[in-house]
Amino acid sequence: MTDFFNEVRQLADVTSRLTVLEAAAAIFLSFILTLCIAYLYKRTHTGARYSQSFVQTIIIMGVTVSVVMIVIGNNVAVAFGLVGAFSIIRFRSAMSDPKDIAFIFFGMAAGI
């Protein structure tokens, strides 16, 4: 029984380590995916209030989520620390279109 737990522990240790090349590839891939999402948003936006900063936010949010996921890894203590740090951030602008919120979540999912 202890052999099983040792194997599981070793497997968890291997999955928690990320090489610099793998981290750079994950960040680059999330950047490319969020560029595609931002382009899709730009092509499908029909409202009167088009904001270039919103498109940039989609891209930045996806890459930031990717970096945060790399930093957290399998460490629960770091995850709770980051949740506490991010809880002080307040967003001043309200989203008027539900499609905008969906694109934000789409960009975050690409980062994850």
Side-chain angles (χ1 to χ4, degrees):
M1 189 66 141
T2 58
D3 292 334
F4 174 73
F5 288 121
N6 286 335
E7 289 180 24
V8 169
R9 217 174 283 132
Q10 288 174 352
L11 182 63
D13 190 37
V14 169
T15 59
S16 66
R17 280 190 242 135
L18 204 65
T19 65
V20 175
L21 186 60
E22 289 171 338
I27 293 169
F28 180 73
L29 182 62
S30 70
F31 177 71
I32 295 300
L33 288 174
T34 53
L35 273 178
C36 295
I37 293 167
Y39 178 74
L40 181 66
Y41 175 79
K42 209 171 169 181
R43 297 289 295 164
T44 61
H45 182 72
T46 57
R49 295 178 37 198
Y50 175 75
S51 174
Q52 184 66 32
S53 65
F54 183 76
V55 174
Q56 294 167 351
T57 301
I58 293 172
I59 297 168
I60 292 169
M61 179 95 52
V63 173
T64 303
V65 166
S66 178
V67 170
V68 167
M69 292 300 289
I70 290 169
V71 168
I72 290 174
N74 289 336
N75 195 341
V76 176
V78 173
F80 281 121
L82 283 174
V83 167
F86 287 144
S87 68
I88 62 173
I89 298 173
R90 295 183 183 260
F91 296 100
R92 299 284 179 192
S93 61
M95 297 284 179
S96 60
D97 189 10
K99 187 176 84 169
D100 293 347
I101 297 170
F103 271 96
I104 287 288
F105 283 130
F106 195 19
M108 289 174 64
I112 291 173

